[in-house]
Amino acid sequence: MQSGVVDHLVRITLNDVEPRASSQGESGGTPMSHMTSFAVYRGRIRQWWNEPVDYAEQVAYFSKRSISNAIKVVTGLGIGLNAATALAILLPAIPDVRIGPRIATELFAALMFFWAYVWCFRPWPSRRMSIAFIVTSDIGITLMVLQDPNWLTGFYAFNTFGLISIHLLFFDGPRVFAAHGTWVLIVTTVFAVVVSVDAHIAPAVVAVQLLAITAPAMAAIMAIQLEIWDLRNNANRSLSDPLTGLLNRRGLHLQINDLLRDNTISATEVVVMIADLDRFKQINDTYGHSVGDEVLIRTAKRITAAVRGSALVARTGGEEFVVVDLTEPGGAECIAERVRYAIAAPAAHPATASIGLSCRPRVDFGTAGDAAVVELDAIIARADRALFDAKRRGGNTTINISPA
């Protein structure tokens, strides 16, 4: 079943790939190069299809960019507007004597108003709540459109199905979308049969016509979800250092707000330390860059193990590492010394580090957003000056420069 879905997606999405490839200068490629390109794309589709959905990380993608609340409220407003449209346009078109269709429309509108409230005024829904939103909406739309199968209701229903599909583009995976899309196609077929019988038109003709419109649209949206998945993965990879797996400077900027929102610790200071390996060039020159890479990876692991699990650890330069954490007054030097001793622990190719340290009251960072990033960069600059002093003293030492 899964292979069939994947193969179907390959046939659909490759039509979009070939024109794009030709615009990038691949139009003159050999048949073998085209086959290789298709095989790579097929592999991407299989990976996308089989990868577990990390809903929390998908939501965090927007939270780290400080836009999740805006997206949540806009989603809720869109759902509420959709409910109001059902009451303002669909309900008046249903005669009073048709109790069933009127009740179905009113219940659907009430359901949408409930979900609008959840999205606007409650915390971001969990994945279970998100799926409940999808399932109940799909069922509500279906009951409403089949209770009153006419072209106005049908247009409204499939427009709403499309809005739900857009939600799935960003906040769930291909399997949930495939289930939703299959449901839409089934409802489309049933709607076509009912409407055609009432209009004395051949049901098969209407069903084929509607499916010819709906199926490519659903397939195109699913292909777009694949591209969004790929772009999101690339964006996440751009936040980390490929060698050590630690954050890079951009990742550090995006994660600082999450650290500041950590309410599990009552620490009042933000500590920033920069650890720079002493005489690392000698290790590279003596043993080669492969050994140098091993030392960097080992250092990254040791630093991570020496600090709190929620601390931010980044590699921001060749042999330079940055740690950002929350602490109580007076605790920063203990953390720095723990990191320094961890780096210098015995190893096949030993290394030591100089550490520059600086602290700032947590309240100076404000609430969130760009102000926190600006304050972070200011503390990093002070820690960098402290690192320079530590290097001048011969290395393997810690210097603290913090405002009084």
Side-chain angles (χ1 to χ4, degrees):
M1 174 65 179
Q2 293 179 8
S3 297
V5 173
V6 172
D7 291 340
H8 179 65
L9 284 172
V10 172
R11 289 193 294 272
I12 293 169
T13 54
L14 288 183
N15 294 328
D16 295 330
V17 174
E18 196 165 8
R20 187 168 55 197
S22 64
S23 68
Q24 296 174 356
E26 296 181 7
S27 57
T30 63
M32 182 61 69
S33 67
H34 287 309
M35 291 177 63
T36 302
S37 178
F38 292 167
V40 171
Y41 203 74
R42 183 189 181 99
R44 285 177 57 218
I45 291 175
R46 289 189 181 278
Q47 182 184 356
W48 165 64
W49 180 261
N50 293 317
E51 184 173 278
V53 175
D54 190 347
Y55 179 81
E57 180 58 34
Q58 291 180 350
V59 175
Y61 177 87
F62 297 101
S63 298
K64 292 169 185 175
R65 290 156 179 82
S66 301
I67 57 175
S68 60
N69 285 335
I71 291 175
K72 184 172 70 72
V73 172
V74 168
T75 300
L77 291 175
I79 296 169
L81 180 60
N82 203 47
T85 302
L87 294 179
I89 297 178
L90 299 185
L91 193 61
I94 304 173
D96 292 341
V97 294
R98 302 193 63 194
I99 304 300
R102 292 186 67 87
I103 291 176
T105 303
E106 290 167 350
L107 288 176
F108 173 75
L111 176 67
M112 290 297 98
F113 278 129
F114 165 75
W115 285 118
Y117 167 79
V118 170
W119 281 95
C120 285
F121 301 107
R122 303 293 298 169
W124 192 286
S126 65
R127 186 172 186 234
R128 181 177 295 181
M129 287 286 285
S130 177
I131 291 177
F133 163 64
I134 301 301
V135 171
T136 56
S137 298
D138 280 355
I139 293 174
I141 296 167
T142 302
L143 293 176
M144 183 180 64
V145 75
L146 295 184
Q147 279 287 326
D148 187 27
N150 59 70
W151 293 113
L152 176 62
T153 309
F155 179 80
Y156 174 87
F158 295 116
N159 178 67
T160 306
F161 278 139
L163 294 176
I164 293 173
S165 300
I166 293 173
H167 169 78
L168 286 173
L169 275 180
F170 295 96
F171 298 111
D172 218 295
R175 299 184 184 220
V176 173
F177 188 94
H180 167 73
T182 301
W183 180 271
V184 172
L185 295 179
I186 292 172
V187 174
T188 300
T189 304
V190 174
F191 174 80
V193 171
V194 174
V195 170
S196 61
V197 169
D198 292 343
H200 306 291
I201 305 173
V205 174
V206 178
V208 169
Q209 290 175 339
L210 286 180
L211 288 174
I213 296 171
T214 308
M218 299 304 296
I221 294 175
M222 203 163 185
I224 293 171
Q225 189 189 55
L226 167 62
E227 297 304 320
I228 290 174
W229 168 82
D230 202 17
L231 290 171
R232 182 185 285 124
N233 284 346
N234 288 336
N236 289 333
R237 283 193 291 269
S238 73
L239 304 179
S240 61
D241 169 49
L243 177 65
T244 63
L246 299 178
L247 297 172
N248 57 22
R249 186 174 290 274
R250 183 166 179 264
L252 199 62
H253 284 167
L254 282 176
Q255 296 275 9
I256 182 61
N257 289 310
D258 289 343
L259 179 67
L260 295 173
R261 284 191 291 262
D262 185 0
N263 294 321
T264 62
I265 181 172
S266 59
T268 58
E269 283 193 345
V270 176
V271 54
V272 172
M273 65 186 77
I274 303 178
D276 190 273
L277 296 182
D278 299 322
R279 294 169 286 279
F280 180 72
K281 185 176 183 300
Q282 293 181 10
I283 296 177
N284 273 333
D285 292 343
T286 304
Y287 303 106
H289 289 281
S290 60
V291 172
D293 287 348
E294 291 175 7
V295 171
L296 291 173
I297 294 170
R298 184 190 72 210
T299 300
K301 291 179 178 178
R302 288 182 171 183
I303 293 175
T304 303
V307 298
R308 288 192 318 124
S310 59
L312 306 182
V313 184
R315 179 184 173 215
T316 56
E319 64 269 23
E320 185 177 277
F321 299 85
V322 174
V323 176
V324 184
D325 200 2
L326 304 176
T327 184
E328 296 293 346
E333 292 192 3
C334 293
I335 298 173
E337 287 299 281
R338 192 163 64 242
V339 168
R340 188 171 67 85
Y341 280 112
I343 294 172
H349 301 95
T352 61
S354 301
I355 295 181
L357 181 66
S358 189
C359 299
R360 191 77 178 176
R362 189 174 179 177
V363 294
D364 288 357
F365 281 77
T367 53
D370 294 339
V373 173
V374 172
E375 189 64 34
L376 174 65
D377 284 342
I379 301 179
I380 289 176
R382 277 200 305 272
D384 199 47
R385 293 197 298 271
L387 173 66
F388 181 74
D389 289 345
K391 287 289 187 183
R392 286 198 306 176
R393 297 189 184 187
N396 195 24
T397 189
T398 300
I399 298 295
N400 183 356
I401 298 180
S402 296

